[in-house]
Amino acid sequence: MSRADVCVVACAEAFRGDGEILAAGIGGAVTVLGARLARLTFEPDLLTSDGACLLTGDVPALGEAPEVVEGWLPFRDHLWLVLNGRRHVMLGASQIDRHGNTNISCIGDWSRPRAQLLGVRGAPGNTRCDPTSYWIPRHSPRVFVPEVDVVSGVGTDRGAYGLRRVVTDLAVLDLGGPGGTMRLVSAHPGVSVEEVVAATGFELEVPAAVPETRTPTAEELRLLDEVLDPRGLRHREVPEPRAGEAGRARGGGSAGEGGPAREGGPAREGGSPG
Amino acid sequence: MGKVMTVEEVVGRLESGMTIGIGGWGSRRKPMALVRGLLRSPLRDLTIVSYGGPDVGMLCAAGKVRRVVAPFVTLDSIPLEPHFRRARQDGAVEFTEYDEGMFMFGLLAAAHRLPFLPTRAGLGSDVMRVNPHLRTVSSPYEDGEELVAVPALTLDAALVHLNRADRRGNAQYLGPDPYLDDLYVKAAAAAYVSCERLVDTADLLKEGPVHSLLVSRSMVTGVVEAPGGAGFTACEPDYGRDEEAQRRYAETPWEEYVRSEQS
């Protein structure tokens, strides 16, 4: 079991109970795998796509074409579905604050940014109209900031429809803290609460007892290794931590770009609306 | 009757300062032959309306653009568009940044000749802050909900690339996704369609089903036959994205890239 496996299962858990809606993992490989793993195990009625316009009847491996197609969802209908709401999207973010406001637009002053990123894409509509979760592949104070530079996805203080959970390479969080603020739900095996707190650039609600994130079952590991990701692409997105690695608070990425834009997150190949 | 034109004839009908919509999505089925025609022209101060890809990047790099209207600019397999990025960071272009769904509603409003369409997308986000021209409306019904009034994205001209067309401007997509190309055409005072191959009207349905006839001649001003005219972006099923050519575009300094394209 690797850290990447734990992260995929934590993303899959975000879709538990969703029923017959589109599970749109568009924040990187781990989010795609999370949606597909949930469908293959505890949430079989979920719809999943090929990353473009096909709703797949089967659940193919990452990067593989489906053998069975059950529906057509061209980009215009993705945009319709966002407004309709029968969609739970798992997005990436270059910055996120304690109310779950996120930024994928640009770093610095919007009128003349220090670093132009993707643009807001579909984040404003997604977060206003659909249940939304986030996947942050590198939990650091560069990403978890007191205030985002541009609000692309809206948080609990700006009318979000429902922010379900934030999964990172260190922990699972939600917006269940006081006033809809971010709360630590569980820390991944081998990660201390102190490490999570130090990697978070704002005050984090930490319950008295923080459980360990659920580890994958044998069947989930088999599905990941043999069916969904035999090439192990998830391990590129979440490298295995080195023993004793800590001090994320002092490390962390190039200025303002510790996020998924650099890593192909929100602009993933497939580029379907998000 | 016949509306067949060259790229140069299409560009000759455009004027500096126009608002031009460009079809496709990211680095998919962009009308690159027409865009390259714009690059060679003396046109400037354009407002470009696009689900942006290398069309936006090239036109920014060539100094053709006063304003970009877009929800994103990306090369898909290369997330960040380098020339758009530079233009924004240098303050060289103005930017109207919309949510993807707002953008579609702007095209839909223009296509239906409505002043605006209401939507929830954008509410609460900084799209409202960075676009001070945006207004909200209250539902006139009992719910009274406040919504964003997305203004019509009315275009002076639309440029799109499809797989097949006839000489009168009926145009057909054969790939899996029409993108929003029909909306650009309907939102524009004049629409120009480039295609991989001109065919006889009677042969259109030999290429694909009736549902693939995306654009009607009644909406089209000019048709250009431009084989490979979406390259290096994807134009399925005729060809996929030329990743090597795209990488060269993204990694080569602009002046050097232009010289290499001319040689």
Side-chain angles (χ1 to χ4, degrees):
Chain A
M1 177 192 73
S2 67
R3 179 68 58 82
D5 296 329
V6 172
C7 292
V8 170
V9 169
C11 287
E13 284 288 344
F15 299 106
R16 188 183 286 275
D18 278 349
E20 203 159 27
I21 69 172
L22 179 67
I26 54 177
V30 166
T31 68
V32 176
L33 289 170
R36 292 182 186 182
L37 184 64
R39 179 175 172 181
L40 280 182
T41 53
F42 52 79
E43 206 58 41
D45 286 341
L46 286 175
L47 286 77
T48 53
S49 86
D50 68 340
C53 65
L54 302 181
L55 294 173
T56 64
D58 56 1
V59 185
L62 266 186
E64 299 296 321
E67 290 179 14
V68 182
V69 173
E70 66 171 338
W72 183 52
L73 199 69
F75 288 178
R76 63 185 64 199
D77 284 340
H78 276 276
L79 299 178
W80 155 75
L81 188 56
V82 167
L83 297 176
N84 176 276
R86 296 187 62 78
R87 179 179 195 256
H88 179 172
V89 63
M90 187 165 242
L91 301 169
S94 297
Q95 295 178 322
I96 186 168
D97 74 14
R98 64 196 295 256
H99 287 99
N101 296 291
T102 56
N103 177 19
I104 55 172
S105 172
C106 65
I107 300 296
D109 176 9
W110 181 88
S111 61
R112 179 132 181 214
R114 190 165 76 247
Q116 174 66 38
L117 303 177
L118 294 163
V120 296
R121 292 212 69 139
N126 273 297
T127 49
R128 185 73 182 204
C129 303
D130 297 355
T132 303
S133 295
Y134 287 98
W135 159 239
I136 310 288
R138 186 167 173 81
H139 193 141
S140 84
R142 301 268 188 206
V143 181
F144 287 78
V145 294
E147 193 174 353
V148 302
D149 293 348
V150 178
V151 176
S152 306
V154 298
T156 54
D157 58 341
R158 284 172 170 258
Y161 176 90
L163 300 183
R164 295 285 177 77
R165 61 165 47 189
V166 179
V167 179
T168 79
D169 60 334
L170 301 181
V172 176
L173 310 104
D174 68 12
L175 280 300
T181 57
M182 205 173 288
R183 174 177 70 175
L184 183 56
V185 172
S186 66
H188 297 341
V191 178
S192 69
V193 169
E194 293 70 28
E195 197 179 337
V196 178
V197 168
T200 305
F202 51 76
E203 191 182 341
L204 186 63
E205 172 76 4
V206 180
V210 176
E212 192 174 89
T213 306
R214 173 169 91 74
T215 54
T217 65
E219 174 62 4
E220 285 169 336
L221 287 175
R222 186 192 69 78
L223 287 168
L224 285 175
D225 286 336
E226 296 177 14
V227 177
L228 292 174
D229 188 23
R231 288 189 290 159
L233 296 174
R234 64 195 183 279
H235 302 297
R236 282 194 223 162
E237 201 162 290
V238 187
E240 202 55 16
R242 289 187 296 273
E245 183 188 20
R248 187 70 64 87
R250 292 180 301 278
S254 58
E257 292 181 63
R262 193 189 53 188
E263 297 165 15
R268 67 277 153 199
E269 174 60 46
S272 63
Chain B
M1 286 292 291
K3 296 172 186 167
V4 178
M5 295 183 182
T6 64
V7 169
E8 284 65 34
E9 284 169 331
V10 171
V11 173
R13 296 197 176 211
L14 306 177
E15 295 170 20
S16 291
M18 275 188 166
T19 296
I20 298 179
I22 301 181
W25 180 286
S27 188
R28 298 144 193 261
R29 221 177 64 222
K30 284 290 177 180
M32 298 307 289
L34 295 173
V35 168
R36 287 170 195 269
L38 288 178
L39 297 178
R40 293 189 297 268
S41 77
L43 296 173
R44 51 197 294 269
D45 289 331
L46 301 174
T47 292
I48 300 298
V49 177
S50 177
Y51 286 102
D55 51 332
V56 173
M58 286 186 187
L59 291 166
C60 285
K64 300 295 186 189
V65 182
R66 181 168 55 88
R67 174 175 291 273
V68 173
V69 181
F72 58 78
V73 183
T74 180
L75 300 175
D76 288 324
S77 52
I78 300 172
L80 302 182
E81 215 299 336
H83 300 301
F84 172 69
R85 205 163 192 234
R86 163 118 10 101
R88 277 281 286 149
Q89 293 167 194
D90 289 349
V93 293
E94 299 169 14
F95 188 27
T96 299
E97 184 171 9
Y98 283 172
D99 164 89
E100 290 172 358
M102 286 177 68
F103 186 101
M104 180 172 76
F105 272 35
L107 290 177
L108 279 167
H112 291 86
R113 296 191 295 163
L114 292 168
F116 70 91
L117 278 172
T119 181
R120 296 189 181 99
L123 288 172
S125 79
D126 273 348
V127 165
M128 305 305 289
R129 171 174 70 87
V130 303
N131 293 292
H133 68 281
L134 286 175
R135 298 286 179 270
T136 59
V137 289
S138 297
S139 166
Y141 298 105
E142 285 176 15
D143 59 275
E145 184 174 356
E146 188 184 27
L147 300 159
V148 183
V150 184
L153 280 171
T154 303
L155 310 172
D156 294 311
L159 308 178
V160 299
H161 184 81
L162 280 86
N163 301 90
R164 304 287 179 268
D166 69 14
R167 306 175 74 81
R168 304 181 77 180
N170 296 301
Q172 181 177 40
Y173 79 104
L174 300 175
D177 200 315
Y179 310 120
L180 285 301
D181 282 9
D182 49 329
L183 292 186
Y184 287 94
V185 167
K186 292 169 181 168
Y192 301 93
V193 178
S194 61
C195 66
E196 287 299 310
R197 187 149 53 83
L198 280 173
V199 298
D200 287 339
T201 307
D203 289 337
L204 284 168
L205 290 191
K206 295 177 185 168
E207 300 279 342
V210 69
H211 322 89
S212 65
L213 298 176
L214 189 66
V215 172
S216 160
R217 64 184 167 86
S218 68
M219 310 302 296
V220 174
T221 301
V223 187
V224 177
E225 185 174 47
F232 49 82
T233 72
C235 186
E236 295 171 353
D238 291 308
Y239 44 88
R241 185 181 303 126
D242 184 340
E243 296 289 356
E244 177 55 38
Q246 175 161 288
R247 199 174 309 114
R248 195 170 59 76
Y249 159 71
E251 293 173 356
T252 309
W254 175 247
E255 299 299 334
E256 187 183 331
Y257 180 75
V258 171
R259 278 197 302 275
S260 71
E261 290 286 289
Q262 287 164 347
S263 59

